[in-house]
């Protein structure tokens, strides 16, 4: 089940328990969170490079969800971001650098959190109301009072502008 997580430099972010995508466990609630985040990345005028197929937040990781993950990863890479194009969204385990220990690239889920917060803040804040999440560490839920919880000095370009 997706959950609200925190890190020393991040007051909160959304994380998954199990990886989502190609050759992954694809637990329903984790998939729903990723689908919700992807669908809401491509809303509004910045959504010029929307992936094909209609994204449904149904918890089923099929070809459309995997295509959307791959398209998002390719757009991040074209924008100069260090992300592995593998069609999967892994759990964020390294919260000090948000970089994978094997791939040495930024977690796709980190970028999903960041770009959704930047491009569709309303959807970011409403995620817990639309997708079942747990909060094992009792992290306070997102608040509009937080000014850029990311503090990332080299911002990830907004989706669609990549």
């Amino acid at each position: 089940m997706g959950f609200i997580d925190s890190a020393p430099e991040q007051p909160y972010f959304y994380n998954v328990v199990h990886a989502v995508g190609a050759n992954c466990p694809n637990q329903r609630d984790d998939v729903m969170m990723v689908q919700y985040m992807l669908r809401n990345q491509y809303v509004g005028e910045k959504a010029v490079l929307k992936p094909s197929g209609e994204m449904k937040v149904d918890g089923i990781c099929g070809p459309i969800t995997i295509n959307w993950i791959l398209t998002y990863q390719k757009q991040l890479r074209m924008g100069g971001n260090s992300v592995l194009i593998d069609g999967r969204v892994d759990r964020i385990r390294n919260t000090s650098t948000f970089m994978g220990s094997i791939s040495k690239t930024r977690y796709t889920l980190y970028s999903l959190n960041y770009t959704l917060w930047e491009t569709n803040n309303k959807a970011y804040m409403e995620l817990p109301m639309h997708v079942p999440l747990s909060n094992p560490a009792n992290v306070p839920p997102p608040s509009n009072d937080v000014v850029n919880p990311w503090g990332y000095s080299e911002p990830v370009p907004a989706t669609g502008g990549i």
Side-chain angles (χ1 to χ4, degrees):
M1 172 178 276
F3 63 101
I4 300 171
D5 204 348
S6 68
E9 302 296 321
Q10 302 298 126
Y12 62 85
F13 60 94
Y14 300 114
N15 209 343
V16 294
V17 174
H18 300 284
V20 171
N23 303 312
C24 296
N26 293 314
Q27 297 295 313
R28 183 179 184 275
D29 293 338
D30 291 327
V31 173
M32 285 178 67
M33 188 181 82
V34 170
Q35 289 171 328
Y36 176 90
M37 294 176 90
L38 285 167
R39 184 182 72 188
N40 286 288
Q41 294 285 337
Y42 296 97
V43 174
E45 38 188 77
K46 293 182 181 180
V48 294
L49 299 173
K50 185 177 176 181
S52 62
E54 181 186 345
M55 174 60 72
K56 295 179 183 174
V57 180
D58 59 8
I60 299 168
C61 186
I64 291 175
T65 301
I66 293 171
N67 176 54
W68 278 54
I69 293 169
L70 283 167
T71 300
Y72 180 72
Q73 290 173 332
K74 289 174 186 175
Q75 290 173 355
L76 285 171
R77 179 66 71 82
M78 287 189 309
N81 293 286
S82 171
V83 64
L84 188 62
I85 302 171
D86 60 357
R88 46 184 295 148
V89 177
D90 291 306
R91 179 178 180 163
I92 297 172
R93 295 188 185 279
N94 182 344
T95 58
S96 60
T97 64
F98 292 96
M99 302 286 268
S101 60
I102 297 171
S103 68
K104 305 295 185 212
T105 58
R106 188 161 313 279
Y107 287 104
T108 298
L109 188 52
Y110 174 86
S111 296
L112 272 170
N113 271 275
Y114 181 85
T115 58
L116 183 59
W117 187 87
E118 282 284 311
T119 62
N120 193 346
N121 187 264
K122 183 177 186 294
Y124 186 79
M125 303 304 243
E126 291 178 352
L127 192 149
M129 291 184 285
H130 298 282
V131 177
L133 296 177
S134 66
N135 192 353
N138 289 324
V139 177
S143 164
N144 283 319
D145 296 335
V146 176
V147 178
N148 190 353
W150 300 99
Y152 184 42
S153 60
E154 298 174 20
V156 176
T159 303
I162 298 174

